[in-house]
């Protein structure tokens, strides 16, 4: 049985879903206007259709988003319930020209306060509740999200172990944390979507494809406060144990504006990321256009990455492949994780290999053209960059050359060209560099 319902006929969105559990296929129409809601859990065989000017806006009260088992910055743990969530579901379509608004300002303000206080431990009751469920929280490494505080902000939308998902034409904006998070999911189409968060909204990646496969992204606009199209596969021992790679991802005809990394692979790389094909994309004002990143302790191999026909303007650095990604490194790890000396090769040693980047036009480069730095014990291998044309910005728009990297300039000597360290078999515009 198929049923179509209008959200205005129900007290809230979750009621519209739950009251129709008996139907095989359900479509919910979200009419124009602002619809305020708390957390929502989706079901299988569901279509959500937004009318033009329809806005689904989430409450910014952290106490509403109760602990749920998930993956947060690459490690499975308890964290806050995603705002819009589906688990073990299939055949879900969200479409139309509406907006899903995460009301992120209050979340960002709370996180800024944590940073200003340099707080590293939980304090609020909702943080203490998570700490009680995550006994190892004090030693959690991460990116820039300060996981030891247990202020584990929710993503705006998360699909957990789902399949056959279509997301088309609507906008996701003002996310508390990562905007769209696909975990252990497959057969995904993302088409014609807009992702918009302020440039200074910390950790607000546009989309995180995390240990997922067969994902197709096209015709999207990304303008966010962290990375853009982001591929991950778990971090360190936890990610190695789970062992689910991200693979078979295509990206075509997308535009990326403000973003730390336009096409960003890593830094959570434990189970590997492979078979990624990017074509016909534009980057305007993006910090780093192509950004592959990992570090010691993260593990995994990034391989078979192909990018073609990329137009870039006013990027800090068009191409970065780096194995010294520093944010979130614990003080006690710095001596080994960020050491320039060779370390023992273990399962937690990351690798990057077999990368082909062709036909890049990069104008008004603000820092340097490329930054390709591997580990002495695990050099980056087999990189081909063909038909790469770049030019610097005017003097007034230039930034320090070390803005190409994330390690405080430890590898940079001010060169605005192509910086390479610990790379085997690198060819740029027909010239063998290493």
């Amino acid at each position: 049985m198929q049923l179509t319902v209008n959200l205005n006929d129900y007290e809230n969105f979750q009621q519209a879903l739950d009251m129709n559990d008996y139907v095989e296929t359900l479509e919910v129409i979200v009419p124009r206007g602002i619809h305020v809601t708390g957390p929502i859990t989706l079901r299988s065989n569901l279509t959500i259709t937004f009318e033009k000017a329809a806005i689904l806006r989430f409450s910014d009260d952290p106490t509403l988003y109760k602990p749920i088992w998930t993956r947060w910055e690459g490690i499975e743990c308890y964290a806050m319930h995603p705002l819009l969530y589906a688990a073990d579901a299939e055949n879900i379509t969200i479409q139309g020209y509406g907006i899903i608004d995460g009301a992120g300002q209050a979340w960002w303000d709370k996180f800024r306060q944590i940073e200003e206080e340099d707080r590293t431990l939980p304090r609020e009751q909702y943080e203490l509740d998570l700490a009680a469920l995550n006994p190892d929280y004090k030693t959690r490494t991460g990116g820039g999200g300060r996981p030891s505080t247990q202020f584990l902000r929710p993503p705006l939308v998360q699909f957990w172990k789902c399949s056959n998902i279509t997301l088309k034409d609507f906008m996701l904006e003002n996310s508390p944390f990562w905007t769209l998070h696909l975990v252990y999911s497959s057969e995904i189409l993302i088409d014609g979507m807009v992702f918009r968060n302020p440039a200074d909204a910390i950790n607000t990646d546009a989309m995180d494809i995390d240990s997922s496969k067969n994902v197709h992204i096209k015709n999207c606009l990304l303008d966010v406060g962290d990375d853009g199209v982001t591929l991950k596969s778990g971090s360190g021992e936890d990610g190695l144990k789970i062992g689910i790679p991200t693979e078979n991802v295509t990206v075509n005809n997308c535009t990326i504006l403000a973003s730390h990394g336009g096409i960003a692979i890593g830094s959570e790389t434990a189970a590997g990321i492979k078979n990624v094909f990017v074509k016909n994309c534009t980057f305007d004002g993006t910090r780093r256009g192509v950004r592959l990143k990992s570090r010691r302790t993260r593990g995994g191999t990034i391989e078979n990455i192909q990018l073609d026909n990329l137009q870039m303007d006013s990027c800090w650095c068009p191409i970065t492949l780096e194995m010294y990604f520093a944010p979130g490194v614990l003080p006690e790890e710095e001596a080994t994780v960020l050491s320039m000396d060779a370390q023992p090769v273990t399962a937690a040693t990351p690798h990057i290999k077999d990368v082909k980047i062709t036909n890049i036009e990069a104008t008004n480069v603000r820092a340097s053209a490329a930054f390709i730095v591997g580990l002495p014990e695990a050099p980056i291998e087999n990189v081909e960059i063909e038909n790469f044309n770049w030019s610097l910005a005017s003097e007034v728009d230039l930034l320090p050359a070390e803005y190409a990297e994330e390690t405080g300039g430890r590898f940079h000597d001010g060169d605005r060209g192509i910086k390479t360290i610990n790379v085997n078999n690198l060819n740029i515009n027909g010239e063998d560099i290493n």
Side-chain angles (χ1 to χ4, degrees):
M1 177 181 178
Q2 182 172 351
L3 178 67
T4 299
V5 301
N6 190 300
L7 184 59
N8 280 346
D9 297 332
Y10 294 83
E11 184 176 339
N12 56 56
F13 203 112
Q14 195 64 58
Q15 186 186 63
L17 300 179
D18 295 345
M19 291 186 66
N20 296 286
D21 269 347
Y22 64 92
V23 298
E24 182 177 338
T25 304
L26 174 67
E27 181 177 15
V28 178
I29 306 296
V30 183
R32 63 180 299 141
I34 299 174
H35 307 272
V36 179
T37 183
I40 296 170
T41 300
L42 304 180
R43 47 161 282 174
S44 292
N45 304 314
L46 171 69
T47 298
I48 298 171
T49 301
F50 286 93
E51 294 183 346
K52 190 174 182 180
I55 300 174
L56 189 64
R57 178 170 295 156
F58 283 86
S59 169
D60 60 12
D61 179 0
T63 65
L64 296 178
Y65 302 94
K66 302 301 182 184
I68 192 169
W69 186 256
T70 184
R71 178 182 263 182
W72 205 90
E73 284 197 335
I75 297 175
E76 286 197 354
C77 64
Y78 285 94
M80 294 183 185
H81 190 293
L83 278 59
L84 186 70
Y85 177 65
D88 300 294
E90 62 182 1
N91 305 327
I92 297 175
T93 295
I94 305 177
Q95 63 186 3
Y97 294 95
I99 298 172
I100 300 179
D101 182 353
Q105 188 66 56
W107 298 92
W108 309 327
D109 289 346
K110 287 182 175 69
F111 187 75
R112 287 192 184 97
Q113 183 178 358
I114 288 172
E115 288 201 312
E116 289 169 4
E117 296 173 352
D118 198 21
R119 181 159 67 86
T120 59
L121 295 175
R123 181 177 66 196
E124 306 299 333
Q125 187 57 54
Y126 48 81
E127 297 169 348
L128 295 169
D129 290 344
L130 286 172
L133 295 168
N134 297 322
D136 62 343
Y137 71 92
K138 291 183 181 179
T139 58
R140 284 282 173 90
T141 62
R146 294 199 175 214
S148 63
T149 65
Q150 293 293 277
F151 185 50
L152 305 184
R153 292 168 285 159
L156 178 49
V157 179
Q158 185 181 88
F159 291 93
W160 173 273
K161 299 182 181 179
C162 293
S163 63
N164 296 318
I165 307 300
T166 297
L167 308 174
K168 185 172 173 59
D169 294 334
F170 62 99
M171 178 187 293
L172 293 175
E173 67 175 7
N174 299 323
S175 179
F177 185 59
W178 295 351
T179 306
L180 171 63
H181 191 194
L182 308 174
V183 195
Y184 313 141
S185 294
S186 65
E187 316 308 325
I188 313 289
L189 174 63
I190 303 169
D191 183 7
M193 288 187 60
V194 175
F195 298 80
R196 184 157 284 151
N197 301 309
D200 63 349
I202 302 172
N203 308 124
T204 54
D205 294 352
M207 62 180 87
D208 290 85
I209 300 158
D210 195 352
S211 292
S212 294
K213 64 181 180 180
N214 302 337
V215 180
H216 305 288
I217 303 155
K218 60 182 181 179
N219 308 319
C220 292
L221 173 66
L222 291 71
D223 187 8
V224 295
D226 207 313
D227 287 335
V229 178
T230 313
L231 281 61
K232 303 177 180 291
S233 65
S235 181
E237 292 183 5
D238 192 72
L240 289 167
K241 177 182 66 177
I242 293 166
I244 301 175
T246 284
E247 57 187 329
N248 306 335
V249 178
T250 65
V251 184
N252 192 31
N253 196 36
C254 291
T255 298
I256 303 172
L257 304 179
S259 173
H260 291 189
I263 305 298
I265 300 178
S267 65
E268 295 92 334
T269 55
I273 298 165
K274 60 185 177 181
N275 305 337
V276 179
F277 305 95
V278 180
K279 194 168 185 177
N280 304 330
C281 290
T282 300
F283 306 76
D284 188 352
T286 308
R287 291 189 182 182
R288 301 166 189 89
V290 177
R291 188 187 197 194
L292 279 58
K293 54 181 178 173
S294 194
R295 67 167 177 250
R296 296 178 179 115
T297 74
R298 294 273 157 132
T301 299
I302 298 171
E303 61 185 320
N304 194 21
I305 311 299
Q306 299 183 31
L307 306 101
D308 179 53
N309 193 25
L310 310 181
Q311 303 296 315
M312 301 186 184
D313 187 62
S314 300
C315 292
W316 290 9
C317 186
I319 300 170
T320 63
L321 282 63
E322 56 179 313
M323 304 284 271
Y324 283 91
F325 182 72
V329 174
L330 297 174
E332 58 268 26
E333 294 180 319
E334 288 186 9
T336 54
V337 172
L338 301 182
S339 174
M340 298 183 196
D341 298 326
Q343 304 293 310
V345 175
T346 71
T349 302
H351 301 269
I352 296 176
K353 66 178 184 178
D354 303 334
V355 178
K356 185 174 184 178
I357 306 171
T358 54
N359 301 314
I360 297 184
E361 292 289 333
T363 54
N364 299 308
V365 172
R366 301 188 65 194
S368 60
F371 180 79
I372 305 174
V373 175
L375 299 170
E377 71 274 17
I380 295 171
E381 299 185 65
N382 303 331
V383 177
E384 180 181 354
I385 302 174
E386 178 183 316
N387 195 21
F388 176 30
N389 300 302
W390 61 276
S391 60
L392 289 176
S394 63
E395 190 70 30
V396 69
D397 290 325
L398 288 177
L399 297 167
E402 57 265 26
Y403 275 42
E405 58 172 297
E406 284 276 12
T407 49
R410 70 169 59 208
F411 293 105
H412 234 294
D413 53 11
D415 181 11
R416 296 192 180 278
I418 298 170
K419 184 71 173 183
T420 66
I421 301 175
N422 299 325
V423 186
N424 291 337
N425 194 19
L426 169 64
N427 184 287
I428 300 179
N429 290 340
E431 180 181 356
D432 290 329
I433 306 300
N434 296 81

